[in-house]
Amino acid sequence: MRLNINDRTVEVLLSEETLRQRVAELGAQLSVDYAGKDLVMLVVLKGSMLFAADLCRHITAPLSMEFMGLSSYGDSTETSGEVQVTLDLTKPVKHRDVLIVEDIVDTGLTMRYLLKNLAAREPASLKVCTLLEKPERKRVEVPLDYVGFVIPDHFVIGYGLDLDQKFRNLPFIGRVV
Ligand code: 5GP
C-alpha cells in the first residue's frame, strides 16, 4: 500500500497490526527468558522509543529502564561507525541483566560500539533485542539475540525511525519511494 505523507510517497512495509503482533511475541519470549532476573531495558534513543514503549508493556518480568543517546558521524543515511554518547545511563548496570533495545541493525557498527561500551560496565548478562535487521548491509558480525523482522536493503521510516528527524510518529514502518 502507498500513502502520500508530507508530499512524499511512502510504501508500507510493516503494518501497524504486523508490528503489534510481533512486538507482543517478543514480549512474551522476553517474559519467559527474564523471569527471576534483574532486567534493565537499555533503550537507545531516539529511534527505539516507540518499540521500547510497546515492548515493555508485553513483558511481565519486573524491569527497569535506562536510556542512552548516541550520535554517529556520517551522512544522513549511513553511519561511519564513529559513535558519540550524547546521553549516558543514570545508574550503574554492574551485575544486572542488560537488554539493549535497538530500532535497527544496519552495518552493525553502532551495535558493536554499544556492546563494547556496555560490556566494560560488567553487567551480569548483555543481550540485544532489535526490531529490524538488514543483513545485506552488514559490515561487522554482532550477536543479535532477539530480532523482530529481517528486512531487505531499504531505508525505512516510521515507528520511531526518522528521515531528517521527521516521520518518527508514523504507526507503521515504510519506505520513501
Ligand atoms: P548501523 O551502525 O548498524 O549501520 O546503523 C545503526 C543506526 O543507523 C540505527 O540505529 C539507525 O539510527 C540508523 N539507520 C540504519 N538504517 C536505517 C534506516 O533504514 N532508516 C532509518 N531511519 N535509520 C537507519
Side-chain angles (χ1 to χ4, degrees), residues 44-45 47-48 72 76-81 83 102-111 132 134 137 151 154-158 160-163 168:
V44 186
L45 297 174
S48 309
S72 65
S76 60
T77 58
E78 181 156 8
T79 175
S80 65
V83 182
E102 179 61 297
D103 51 0
I104 184 165
V105 176
D106 186 28
T107 62
L109 291 166
T110 304
M111 189 53 71
L132 306 173
K134 266 197 248 179
R137 304 233 323 151
I151 61 164
H154 299 309
F155 187 80
V156 292
I157 56 166
L161 290 147
D162 75 307
L163 174 62
R168 292 192 197 274

Side-chain angles (χ1 to χ4, degrees), residues 89-107:
L89 313 183
T90 57
K91 291 244 163 62
V93 291
K94 194 169 180 171
H95 305 324
R96 306 191 68 193
D97 296 294
V98 175
L99 178 69
I100 299 173
V101 179
E102 179 61 297
D103 51 0
I104 184 165
V105 176
D106 186 28
T107 62

Side-chain angles (χ1 to χ4, degrees), residues 124-141:
S125 66
L126 180 58
K127 289 191 175 182
V128 177
C129 177
T130 182
L131 179 64
L132 306 173
E133 181 192 6
K134 266 197 248 179
E136 284 167 51
R137 304 233 323 151
K138 190 186 296 172
R139 282 172 54 191
V140 291
E141 279 299 332

